[in-house]
Amino acid sequence: MTQSPHDHDPQRRRLLRRAATVATTTAGAGVAAAGGLPAAAQAAPGDSLIMGTTNDAGVQTTTLNASEGIAALSLNNTEGVALRLAPSSNLYPQVLESEVGTLAVDDQGDLFVRAGTDSDDGATNGWAWTSEWATMSVAMRPVRVLDTRDPDLRRRIVAGGANLDPATGKLKPGGPIVVALDEYVQNGYAMKGNVTVVGMTGPGFLTVWGGGTKPTASTVNWWTSGQILSNFLFTRLGASGAFRNVITIQATSSPTHVIVDLTSLLVGHPSQIVSGQA
């Protein structure tokens, strides 16, 4: 899968600082692997490439040096487009306008692909869709992570506890609470679940978000006292102090009890889900 170059977001992923090492090692592995193929092109370390011979390169690494702006390797294909490995130093805009079949690693360590056919209408530009880019929604056994009516289910509140009414436990309007989900996920992107409000004393609304400045949007709204209302919740996870997977909750206009049920987490890989939680 590829993604439009306009969606490229290097902040979502860590830098791959060993790209050059990986590239040279891969090139060497390709020469060694070719030794098992009939009539493969081979060369002993230091020798010229000789067609139709076999050779075991052992632990030797093959490095291809290219002039700036020139593809380090071009593999022609009589049945289709050529495969070209291009240098990253001139990735933009040259590769965006290059021949179909071009691959290059950009300055964030991501693999750029010029894919499609020889037709201009069929060619596309994008980045290889890997776990560095992708997120997946991992369903969990539904679990209640917050219920302000229950002191035990208020234990995940890691900031803003003073914004709960000490007598009733209701969330007072105007002050946020921060709820940590670190026991369920490591460095997650977002959560899905349900948020419920109950016991409000008048009209108001609730906002749930990851962290930082409070957004102007509302997550659930109510128009009078004594209601029980629920809404689907899908929000990014933020960070607060030592906690890396938090949601922030704030009521406006009216005190209310808040219940949050967790049903799914968005991660880059299932291993980010804490063992036994999915």
Side-chain angles (χ1 to χ4, degrees):
M1 297 177 64
T2 59
Q3 179 165 317
S4 167
H6 302 293
D7 294 332
H8 183 47
D9 182 5
Q11 298 302 321
R12 282 193 56 206
R13 305 166 328 280
R14 62 186 180 277
L15 301 180
L16 304 182
R17 302 183 184 279
R18 296 185 296 159
T21 303
V22 173
T24 55
T25 303
T26 303
V31 172
L37 300 176
Q42 299 289 340
D47 290 348
S48 299
L49 187 67
I50 302 174
M51 300 295 292
T53 61
T54 58
N55 177 73
D56 182 2
V59 297
Q60 300 298 317
T61 297
T62 299
T63 301
L64 298 177
N65 294 319
S67 300
E68 184 175 353
I70 304 300
L73 176 65
S74 180
L75 179 63
N76 292 327
N77 178 8
T78 58
E79 300 297 326
V81 298
L83 170 66
R84 300 175 66 253
L85 302 183
S88 61
S89 57
N90 287 340
L91 185 56
Y92 310 107
Q94 288 87 339
V95 170
L96 299 179
E97 302 168 353
S98 65
E99 297 91 336
V100 173
T102 296
L103 303 179
V105 177
D106 70 6
D107 58 359
Q108 301 298 318
D110 293 307
L111 178 63
F112 175 87
V113 182
R114 172 74 165 161
T117 67
D118 287 324
S119 168
D120 289 338
D121 294 335
T124 59
N125 298 316
W127 281 265
W129 194 261
T130 69
S131 59
E132 291 297 315
W133 280 93
T135 60
M136 59 188 72
S137 181
V138 179
M140 303 178 57
R141 294 174 297 177
V143 58
R144 184 150 295 180
V145 296
L146 174 69
D147 188 339
T148 57
R149 301 171 301 178
D150 183 345
D152 185 58
L153 288 174
R154 296 198 293 258
R155 60 184 174 82
R156 296 183 184 89
I157 299 175
V158 296
N163 292 319
L164 297 179
D165 185 288
T168 65
K170 290 182 181 181
L171 178 60
K172 295 183 288 187
I177 56 173
V178 178
V179 179
L181 303 179
D182 290 51
E183 64 186 276
Y184 300 101
V185 63
Q186 298 176 342
N187 298 314
Y189 293 133
M191 66 151 290
K192 295 179 183 179
N194 294 293
V195 58
T196 302
V197 289
V198 58
M200 66 287 292
T201 58
F205 64 91
L206 191 80
T207 301
V208 184
W209 74 102
T213 303
K214 177 183 175 294
T216 57
S218 63
T219 307
V220 61
N221 302 266
W222 59 92
W223 56 94
T224 188
S225 62
Q227 294 182 293
I228 303 175
L229 296 172
S230 297
N231 201 8
F232 174 69
L233 175 62
F234 182 16
T235 186
R236 64 174 294 179
L237 295 173
S240 176
F243 299 95
R244 316 313 299 169
N245 305 273
V246 306
I247 56 174
T248 307
I249 305 171
Q250 183 171 323
T252 300
S253 299
S254 171
T256 184
H257 280 301
V258 183
I259 303 167
V260 177
D261 296 323
L262 173 64
T263 61
S264 179
L265 287 159
L266 263 70
V267 292
H269 191 275
S271 63
Q272 291 173 251
I273 305 296
V274 175
S275 178
Q277 300 297 339

